[in-house]
């Protein structure tokens, strides 16, 4: 409610189902892993609570660890949230970085982006088809009925949170937005345009959302000049 009252446009929640006590995988930000990583709500339960007491703000995941979730169950959770919020949900996704966390879910780190791709494509089928089916390397199911369908046509927008050299092809294939940390980086806008053009997509249709935006006004102006449409701040 406080976010909506203050004129912000959206609220994003992160996701870690748990944090293994083992620190085999170093924290990408360097140093000790902040306590907040192991003290997160389930994003869909929390966002459902937010949907019930707000009217306008968009509600998103920043990010949902798709590879650690069953795609049929996740598709229903997302469709339900989008329906109850009257089309206000944004699905921010990533593949994750904590190898031990993935192993606890039976997920192979080496195949994480292949899993992300198939789960997103499978969920899009569930959201848009009366009798959805999907047959891939990692996800496979015969025709199913699943309701409700999302309010947003085609399903909620999918924003990909990643910074690797492969992210542009992934956005062009199955994304609606890019949600990097830090900024665009040299040459990355041109890479995104080329990837979209190769798939017959217009880069103008891709939302650029800066995750963990700076609080300096000069820095923010610079990011807006780079082409960012959305600025997502840490609270």
């Amino acid at each position: 409610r406080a976010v909506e009252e203050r004129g912000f446009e959206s609220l994003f929640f992160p996701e870690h189902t748990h944090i293994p006590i083992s620190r085999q995988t170093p924290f990408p930000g360097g140093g000790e892993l902040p306590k907040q990583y192991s003290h997160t709500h389930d994003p869909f339960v929390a966002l459902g609570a937010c949907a019930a007491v707000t009217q306008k703000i968009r509600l998103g995941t920043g990010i949902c660890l798709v590879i650690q979730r069953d795609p049929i169950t996740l598709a229903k959770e997302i469709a339900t949230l989008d329906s109850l919020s009257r089309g206000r949900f944004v699905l921010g996704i990533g593949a994750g970085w904590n190898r031990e966390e993935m192993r606890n879910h039976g997920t192979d780190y080496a195949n994480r982006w292949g899993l992300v791709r198939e789960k997103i494509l499978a969920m899009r089928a569930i959201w848009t088809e009366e009798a959805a089916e999907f047959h891939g390397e990692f996800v496979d199911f015969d025709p199913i009925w699943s309701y409700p369908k999302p309010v947003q046509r085609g399903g909620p927008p999918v924003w990909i949170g990643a910074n690797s050299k492969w992210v542009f092809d992934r956005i062009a294939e199955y994304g609606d937005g890019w949600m990097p940390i830090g900024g665009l980086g040299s040459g990355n806008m041109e890479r995104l345009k080329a990837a979209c053009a190769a798939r017959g997509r217009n880069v103008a249709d891709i939302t650029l959302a800066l995750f963990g935006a700076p609080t300096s006004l000069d820095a923010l102006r610079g990011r807006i000049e780079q082409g960012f449409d959305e600025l997502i701040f840490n609270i």
Side-chain angles (χ1 to χ4, degrees):
R1 283 193 293 259
V3 167
E4 189 163 88
E5 287 167 359
R6 283 156 178 77
F8 289 99
E9 290 188 322
S10 57
L11 177 64
F12 286 78
F13 284 159
E15 175 174 47
H16 281 283
T17 56
H18 67 288
I19 291 293
I21 292 174
S22 163
R23 294 269 40 89
Q24 254 183 304
T25 306
F27 175 46
E32 291 298 315
L33 183 69
K35 183 180 178 181
Q36 66 198 45
Y37 276 72
S38 57
H39 288 66
T40 61
H41 290 300
D42 176 274
F44 294 99
V45 176
L47 290 169
C50 292
V53 296
T54 57
Q55 298 295 322
K56 297 184 296 184
I57 56 170
R58 289 170 305 153
L59 304 166
T61 50
I63 55 155
C64 174
L65 293 170
V66 175
I67 58 169
Q68 296 178 181
R69 289 176 170 267
D70 175 85
I72 297 174
T73 303
L74 181 57
K76 179 172 287 278
E77 287 180 308
I78 290 169
T80 300
L81 178 56
D82 196 62
S83 178
L84 294 176
S85 67
R86 299 179 301 282
R88 291 189 279 144
F89 182 62
V90 176
L91 178 61
I93 65 166
W97 55 270
N98 193 314
R99 295 178 186 233
E100 300 95 281
E101 182 181 357
M102 293 179 204
R103 279 201 298 269
N104 289 345
H105 283 281
T107 299
D108 180 14
Y109 180 83
N111 293 321
R112 66 196 187 284
W113 279 105
L115 278 161
V116 167
R117 175 183 176 273
E118 288 196 5
K119 290 187 178 188
I120 293 297
L121 295 177
M123 290 195 297
R124 284 199 191 276
I126 292 171
W127 294 332
T128 58
E129 298 172 16
E130 167 71 17
E133 63 181 297
F134 190 87
H135 303 285
E137 181 182 355
F138 306 106
V139 179
D140 186 86
F141 54 86
D142 290 327
I144 62 172
W145 292 317
S146 178
Y147 285 86
K149 300 298 184 187
V151 171
Q152 297 180 83
R153 192 170 183 177
V158 175
W159 296 358
I160 300 179
N163 291 71
S164 75
K165 63 182 179 182
W166 299 284
V167 70
F168 310 106
D169 290 331
R170 291 165 182 156
I171 294 166
E173 182 185 6
Y174 57 84
D176 304 292
W178 185 28
M179 193 164 57
I181 296 173
L184 282 180
S186 177
N188 282 342
M189 195 62 190
E190 288 68 29
R191 294 181 184 97
L192 180 58
K193 287 178 181 177
C196 287
R199 288 190 173 268
R201 298 190 64 185
N202 187 342
V203 74
D205 296 331
I206 303 297
T207 299
L208 296 182
L210 178 65
F211 195 80
T215 53
S216 156
L217 286 177
D218 287 340
L220 290 174
R221 289 190 186 101
R223 300 300 193 277
I224 292 167
E225 288 169 3
Q226 284 183 344
F228 281 102
D229 309 299
E230 308 276 345
L231 303 169
I232 304 170
F233 300 92
N234 289 325
I235 298 178

